[in-house]
Amino acid sequence: MKILEIINSKKTISYLGVLIVGILIGWLLIGGSGSESLEELPTDHSAMDHADGTTWTCSMHPQIQREEPGNCPICGMELIPMKQDEDDGEAGQYSVKLSNAAMKIAEVEMSTIERKAPYKEVYLPGKVMADERNIAELTARYPGRIEKLMVNFTGQKVRKGQVLAKIYSPELVTAQRELFEAMKFKETNPSYYRATRNKLKLWDLTEAQIDQIEQSGDVDFYFDVLSPITGTVTMRHVTLGDYVKEGTALFEVVDLSHVWVMFDAYESDIPWIKMRDKIKFSIKSIPGREFNATVTFIDPVLNPMSRVAKVRAELDNPKDLLKPEMLADGILKTMLPGSGDQLVIPKSAILWTGKKAVVYVMTDDHNNMFQFREIDLGADAGDYYVVESGLSEGEMVATNGVFKIDAAAQLKGEKSMMNPEGGKVSMGHNHGGSSEEKKPASGSEHEGHDESSSENTMKMDMSIDENFKKQLTNVYKVHLDLQQAFLATDAAAAKKQAISVKSALDKVDMSLVKGDMHDQWMNSLKTLLGNIESGSDIEKQRLAFADFNDALYSAIKMFGVVNETVYYQFCPMARNGAGAYWLSAVKEIKNPYYGEAMLTCGENKEVIE
């Protein structure tokens, strides 16, 4: 056994010797002539394979772009080198590219621009009115005293020829006596006879009444006031015993078996309305019932104050179900007169920058490349707009997730709705001080956090803290009181309410938002509120309020509101004809830029749920 142990120990020593000799030979051949130690050899093989200047990105979050390899600050995946064809320069002017994952996160939906007949449902508020052709106004043709009154109350039904009142008139008594005298000279002086009869006719006596006077031979001291039509007495101007002069109004009788419905058509809706169009309308006091009428007249002149034209529709009303002054809500579905198939675009694809309309057009469906484009719009066609220029048939535009695409474009410094001039924007939490003072040490944890916050704008929109949305919703609600001040044209109240809105803004916790895109609209809102607060000219305050609404709209579209339906409304006359928008809690138009002067001027452009 000892002999075997000795042999095994000799073999072990031999193996160790061979191993040591191999290590020495390897060191002489490879490392002996270099200056780097084994510990200094690079271990990042991916970095060794790419030259300096390579941009590193995340396959799931292409907005992450670094000059050095590492991990994605959003998902933690290892960054990969960006291919040359993924470089921003390939995107073209005002373009932005999204990965497939980003498309899903943003819930982007597309629609193809096509030609179709532009139909529209036009909302027309109105009220029932009597047919003016069926109104009879009875006046006193001769002076006298009301001796008998057969109509005791307004609203009484009368028939044609029914006696409404009896009048005693000394002048008529004298005229009858003249007639009796002229009858004696009927053969010798017929012109005198005819003149006395005509005098009675001018006092509204009928041929039959005059013949009856001649046949009786006696003076009639009381004369009947007869209803000229069958209808309803809508006005009674006299009472029993009243003395009346010639021309005094006595009664108004209206035939309500046929009525008008007078609708208000806003200026932008007038091109859609034509004669003989059918209008369906409902009456608030008759729920569950729908009526149909026909357009018979369109007012050729607009009301200079309300900027609306009257549209008249007519219908039969055999049971007097419809009564004058009843409010009506009409819907007219029509096609633009004289138009065939035209290019149309869904309203959800449009982003508004003042009066300009912008869309994002997909230029490369394989690489999800979108191009920012300004377009010219024509008529409002319900859920669509007619496209005048800027788009071609067959092009695809984003109709959902448009604001998120716009946020990605802004992040890249491309031209966007929220950044119309283009160029990079500051996105870090720099609320003061120099950039050197705020910049964390290289490689620190805070540096990665700041970069990811600025680069994660699209993801931010999907993960807004619910408390932040509630706070923003409160700002919107408080701003409605400011809007009421402008409806009342009250500069002092506007100043007071601007302070309340600013107070609500101060309560918004900005730390709940990832990233600092809020800086732009937050500072803008406070500045504009300051202009309202410091002003005393209501018109200048309204200009600031218009800009305030633009900024608030962008914030609400970006972050959302809680349990509120917001109506985005537009007045074409505000800003000296340039047009202005406002946010409202009700669909009904109440224009804060003109108040009572033009309260109903405007239209709904968008509904934000």
Side-chain angles (χ1 to χ4, degrees):
M1 293 294 295
K2 291 183 178 181
I3 296 173
L4 291 174
E5 289 177 358
I6 294 171
I7 294 172
N8 288 335
S9 63
K10 288 182 177 180
K11 289 182 178 181
T12 301
I13 294 172
S14 299
Y15 292 149
L16 290 173
V18 172
L19 179 61
I20 292 171
V21 171
I23 292 174
L24 291 173
I25 294 174
W27 180 80
L28 291 172
L29 293 176
I30 299 174
S33 61
S35 60
E36 295 180 350
S37 66
L38 290 176
E39 294 180 354
E40 294 173 334
L41 291 176
T43 58
D44 189 343
H45 300 287
S46 61
M48 294 172 60
D49 295 336
H50 299 278
D52 292 340
T54 300
T55 301
W56 300 81
T57 186
C58 176
S59 57
M60 293 297 292
H61 304 92
Q63 68 267 32
I64 301 299
Q65 297 178 15
R66 301 288 178 80
E67 296 180 357
E68 297 178 354
N71 295 327
C72 175
I74 298 175
C75 63
M77 292 182 61
E78 185 178 359
L79 300 181
I80 61 174
M82 179 182 287
K83 296 180 181 179
Q84 187 63 33
D85 60 0
E86 292 180 352
D87 194 282
D88 290 346
E90 290 291 317
Q93 190 178 24
Y94 310 145
S95 294
V96 62
K97 177 180 177 181
L98 302 181
S99 68
N100 291 332
M103 291 279 285
K104 292 180 180 179
I105 292 175
E107 299 179 347
V108 176
E109 295 178 4
M110 308 298 299
S111 292
T112 303
I113 300 299
E114 58 184 357
R115 291 185 177 273
K116 62 170 63 175
Y119 282 90
K120 180 181 180 179
E121 286 189 350
V122 180
Y123 169 71
L124 299 172
K127 65 180 178 180
V128 179
M129 295 183 65
D131 186 338
E132 293 177 1
R133 298 165 297 188
N134 295 333
I135 299 176
E137 186 76 31
L138 281 71
T139 59
R141 301 298 181 88
Y142 39 81
R145 183 178 70 247
I146 304 296
E147 290 292 329
K148 291 186 179 181
L149 195 61
M150 285 68 174
V151 176
N152 300 316
F153 57 89
T154 302
Q156 186 172 336
K157 301 283 187 180
V158 297
R159 300 182 309 276
K160 182 178 181 180
Q162 180 176 334
V163 177
L164 306 182
K166 287 182 178 290
I167 297 179
Y168 166 74
S169 174
E171 284 81 356
L172 272 178
V173 172
T174 303
Q176 291 177 81
R177 289 173 177 165
E178 288 180 359
L179 175 62
F180 293 146
E181 191 69 26
M183 289 172 61
K184 299 176 182 179
F185 305 98
K186 184 176 181 180
E187 300 295 334
T188 58
N189 193 357
S191 59
Y192 175 51
Y193 169 73
R194 288 194 300 270
T196 56
R197 285 183 64 95
N198 289 335
K199 185 177 181 180
L200 292 171
K201 286 182 181 179
L202 292 174
W203 279 339
D204 208 24
L205 270 68
T206 64
E207 290 280 357
Q209 286 177 309
I210 298 172
D211 291 340
Q212 185 178 0
I213 291 171
E214 288 185 2
Q215 292 172 7
S216 66
D218 294 327
V219 174
D220 194 346
F221 291 95
Y222 304 105
F223 287 87
D224 297 334
V225 178
L226 306 178
S227 174
I229 60 173
T230 298
T232 303
V233 177
T234 56
M235 293 293 292
R236 193 193 71 168
H237 302 287
V238 293
T239 59
L240 186 64
D242 282 350
Y243 282 88
V244 296
K245 297 180 180 180
E246 184 176 355
T248 300
L250 303 176
F251 305 98
E252 181 185 71
V253 181
V254 179
D255 180 4
L256 296 176
S257 62
H258 189 83
V259 295
W260 292 350
V261 185
M262 300 299 290
F263 294 100
D264 292 331
Y266 295 114
E267 191 171 358
S268 58
D269 293 330
I270 292 174
W272 292 89
I273 304 171
K274 56 185 182 295
M275 298 290 289
R276 312 309 303 172
D277 275 346
K278 300 294 182 182
I279 297 181
K280 293 183 178 181
F281 67 93
S282 60
I283 300 294
K284 294 180 180 179
S285 58
I286 311 176
R289 181 78 180 271
E290 188 176 76
F291 300 88
N292 294 281
T294 303
V295 175
T296 58
F297 175 77
I298 302 171
D299 199 331
V301 180
L302 267 69
N303 185 310
M305 299 299 293
S306 63
R307 307 304 301 171
V308 300
K310 294 293 183 181
V311 175
R312 186 176 75 213
E314 301 182 25
L315 74 160
D316 291 330
N317 185 35
K319 297 182 179 180
D320 290 355
L321 184 62
L322 300 177
K323 306 183 187 306
E325 300 303 320
M326 280 185 169
L327 297 178
D329 293 317
I331 296 292
L332 184 148
K333 186 175 182 180
T334 182
M335 186 177 74
L336 191 65
S339 66
D341 289 348
Q342 297 188 40
L343 283 180
V344 294
I345 183 172
K347 284 185 174 180
S348 59
I350 306 297
L351 297 177
W352 293 96
T353 58
K355 293 188 70 175
K356 294 182 180 179
V358 299
V359 297
Y360 278 93
V361 182
M362 179 172 276
T363 56
D364 185 347
D365 57 350
H366 295 293
N367 294 315
N368 301 329
M369 196 79 73
F370 293 90
Q371 183 186 61
F372 174 93
R373 190 181 301 178
E374 292 185 2
I375 63 174
D376 294 322
L377 298 179
D380 182 341
D383 293 332
Y384 297 85
Y385 283 110
V386 174
V387 179
E388 296 289 347
S389 63
L391 290 171
S392 302
E393 185 177 5
E395 287 190 300
M396 295 189 69
V397 296
T399 53
N400 190 56
V402 188
F403 260 85
K404 299 169 181 79
I405 298 173
D406 189 83
Q410 183 187 12
L411 175 66
K412 294 181 63 179
E414 296 288 357
K415 191 174 182 180
S416 63
M417 186 206 72
M418 298 180 68
N419 186 24
E421 301 302 324
K424 292 289 185 179
V425 295
S426 174
M427 308 293 283
H429 285 275
N430 187 359
H431 294 275
S434 66
S435 58
E436 288 78 5
E437 292 173 342
K438 298 295 180 180
K439 186 175 180 180
S442 176
S444 72
E445 180 183 353
H446 293 289
E447 180 185 30
H449 172 74
D450 285 347
E451 290 182 10
S452 64
S453 295
S454 64
E455 293 166 336
N456 197 20
T457 305
M458 268 186 50
K459 192 175 183 65
M460 173 195 69
D461 192 51
M462 256 66 64
S463 59
I464 298 299
D465 189 285
E466 195 68 15
N467 289 327
F468 179 83
K469 287 187 178 182
K470 291 179 180 178
Q471 293 165 4
L472 180 59
T473 303
N474 183 59
V475 173
Y476 160 73
K477 289 181 177 180
V478 176
H479 120 279
L480 295 176
D481 293 331
L482 175 60
Q483 189 177 112
Q484 290 297 318
F486 286 112
L487 284 171
T489 315
D490 190 336
K495 295 175 67 172
K496 180 179 178 181
Q497 294 302 329
I499 297 174
S500 298
V501 180
K502 188 181 290 186
S503 177
L505 274 173
D506 290 335
K507 295 177 182 178
V508 176
D509 185 359
M510 291 305 175
S511 66
L512 298 176
V513 183
K514 298 177 181 179
D516 271 351
M517 284 189 68
H518 60 272
D519 276 359
Q520 292 187 359
W521 62 263
M522 171 57 73
N523 294 333
S524 176
L525 289 173
K526 290 184 177 180
T527 300
L528 294 168
L529 287 171
N531 294 339
I532 298 174
E533 180 185 347
S534 61
S536 57
D537 185 336
I538 189 67
E539 297 307 323
K540 291 183 179 179
Q541 287 177 316
R542 279 170 166 157
L543 290 175
F545 183 65
D547 294 334
F548 173 84
N549 274 276
D550 290 341
L552 184 59
Y553 168 77
S554 297
I556 289 177
K557 286 292 287 186
M558 175 64 71
F559 302 111
V561 290
V562 180
N563 298 327
E564 292 289 331
T565 298
V566 181
Y567 295 92
Y568 192 44
Q569 299 171 333
F570 176 69
C571 170
M573 302 297 296
R575 284 176 174 159
N576 298 319
Y581 292 83
W582 75 94
L583 300 167
S584 176
V586 294
K587 185 177 181 181
E588 181 184 2
I589 299 297
K590 293 183 178 180
N591 191 327
Y593 300 119
Y594 288 96
E596 290 295 334
M598 295 174 60
L599 185 63
T600 59
C601 175
E603 59 181 317
N604 284 289
K605 285 290 188 180
E606 184 180 351
V607 179
I608 306 171
E609 298 290 349

